[in-house]
Amino acid sequence: MTFTDQNVHEIIASGQPVVIDFWATWCGPCVRMAPTVEELAQEYEGKAVIGKYNIEEENDLAMKYRIMSIPTILFFKNGEQVPSLRMAGAQQKADLQARIEELLAL
């Protein structure tokens, strides 16, 4: 899933669990994490919407949530951000998976 300023607000407002990876093509850790994000998106298909938001092409959401470094991963449920789950920096698959499970359990 590619999140854009055009679609992201509607997806968050749907109430389903949403995981957004803020990234850029010039960010080495972001690029290394991309396959993990894609794997998790497939694994959690139907349970959560997981995707990427390119800060080079989009910026409204990044500004709203004060994304100062990338990669940063935000979690949403019932149309609201879950600040306690926010992650910054490159993440291992198991750590990211654990946060997604926390999100689903809320």
Side-chain angles (χ1 to χ4, degrees):
M1 163 65 81
T2 299
F3 293 106
T4 66
D5 289 333
Q6 306 297 351
N7 71 9
V8 72
H9 299 290
E10 183 178 324
I11 295 167
I12 291 170
S14 73
Q16 59 192 325
V18 178
V19 180
I20 303 174
D21 174 22
F22 291 81
W23 76 291
T25 57
W26 49 262
C27 169
C30 300
V31 172
R32 285 191 298 278
M33 266 186 54
T36 299
V37 173
E38 290 171 17
E39 285 174 30
L40 291 169
Q42 290 177 355
E43 289 175 26
Y44 286 93
E45 189 173 351
K47 296 179 185 174
V49 178
I50 300 172
K52 305 174 80 49
Y53 179 95
N54 186 334
I55 65 163
E56 291 176 307
E57 298 171 1
E58 312 290 335
N59 62 22
D60 290 352
L61 198 67
M63 288 175 41
K64 179 177 181 179
Y65 289 101
R66 298 186 174 145
I67 303 301
M68 302 297 203
S69 64
I70 53 172
T72 292
I73 302 169
L74 298 185
F75 299 81
F76 298 83
K77 190 162 185 183
N78 299 323
E80 299 289 327
Q81 182 192 12
V82 182
S84 62
L85 297 180
R86 182 179 178 137
M87 302 175 93
Q91 304 296 321
Q92 298 293 321
K93 182 177 180 181
D95 296 331
L96 189 50
Q97 201 164 17
R99 290 284 171 94
I100 294 169
E101 289 296 331
E102 283 182 59
L103 179 69
L104 295 176
L106 292 176

